[in-house]
Amino acid sequence: MTVNMTKGQAISLEKSDGGSLTAVRMGLGWQAAPRRGLFGSRTREIDLDASAVLFADKQPVDVVFFRHLVSDDGSVRHTGDNLVGGVGQGSDDESILVDLSRVPVHIDQIVFTVNSFTGQTFQEVQNAFCRLVDETNGQELARYTLAGGGAYTAQIMAKVHRAGAGWTLTALGSPANGRTFQDLMPTILPHL
């Protein structure tokens, strides 16, 4: 059963049988919003990029994004860059797979971001979302709609963080500006 998350909401990643999830996928989907022009509506391609920044004690130690598709330890993997969005018509345009059972013990948080590499703002994006899927059975666990448009080019989407022996997902939904995850680091740090 999917939980439609709101900004700041946290959910445990424990299964209903008491076990913990072992592998999850953070999916990102979007479409370019139609723009009215002199000759009718049209859309412009928008290149959003999903990234995952791995932290140990509030220090970034690795990142997975379109130019570094697999974390150094192999526990986090980006499935590849989508330059236009909307390909899946509501499905994931970019995905980051996390094998929670393989994440090294010193990694305590993984923050997921989205940024407009080409510099368009979220006013030009529609139907944007991130979602968490149990990768072992394909069940969608949580969905967070990246709503509100806005004159910003990035968003700190969500984070998974250790909670005792398990993991918790928190929807962050914090607007930011930047074309790459490096530009977003000052905005990420207060959420750790």
Side-chain angles (χ1 to χ4, degrees):
M1 180 167 162
T2 298
V3 174
N4 286 313
M5 298 185 73
T6 58
K7 185 175 180 173
Q9 182 179 4
I11 61 167
S12 171
L13 297 185
E14 300 234 347
K15 292 184 175 184
S16 57
D17 65 5
S20 292
L21 292 172
T22 56
V24 295
R25 173 172 24 106
M26 180 63 72
L28 168 66
W30 74 93
Q31 295 174 323
R35 297 179 356 186
R36 294 236 175 254
L38 185 59
F39 301 107
S41 292
R42 58 190 170 92
T43 60
R44 186 167 92 181
E45 293 179 350
I46 295 178
D47 179 11
L48 296 184
D49 291 319
S51 302
V53 185
L54 289 70
F55 288 89
D57 196 29
K58 298 187 180 186
Q59 297 298 314
V61 294
D62 201 356
V63 65
V64 173
F65 70 117
F66 69 92
R67 288 192 180 140
H68 185 245
L69 295 175
V70 180
S71 62
D72 294 340
D73 59 52
S75 65
V76 182
R77 183 173 53 90
H78 195 298
T79 59
D81 195 14
N82 179 322
L83 301 176
V84 296
V87 174
Q89 300 300 317
S91 295
D92 300 336
D93 293 311
E94 289 194 13
S95 295
I96 297 176
L97 306 170
V98 181
D99 185 343
L100 294 168
S101 63
R102 290 183 54 204
V103 174
V105 70
H106 71 284
I107 302 295
D108 54 8
Q109 299 185 69
I110 302 171
V111 177
F112 298 94
T113 66
V114 58
N115 55 273
S116 173
F117 187 74
T118 46
Q120 291 100 338
T121 69
F122 275 79
Q123 292 169 325
E124 299 175 69
V125 178
Q126 68 181 10
N127 302 325
F129 65 88
C130 67
R131 66 188 192 123
L132 190 74
V133 176
D134 181 342
E135 194 61 16
T136 61
N137 63 17
Q139 179 184 0
E140 182 175 290
L141 303 170
R143 178 177 287 259
Y144 178 61
T145 302
L146 303 173
Y152 52 89
T153 60
Q155 192 164 121
I156 314 306
M157 294 190 302
K159 69 177 180 176
V160 292
H161 47 101
R162 291 190 189 272
W167 292 86
T168 296
L169 169 73
T170 302
L172 299 172
S174 180
N177 281 299
R179 293 182 57 231
T180 66
F181 75 89
Q182 295 101 323
D183 299 335
L184 305 180
M185 292 306 288
T187 308
I188 292 172
L189 295 177
H191 295 287
L192 300 179

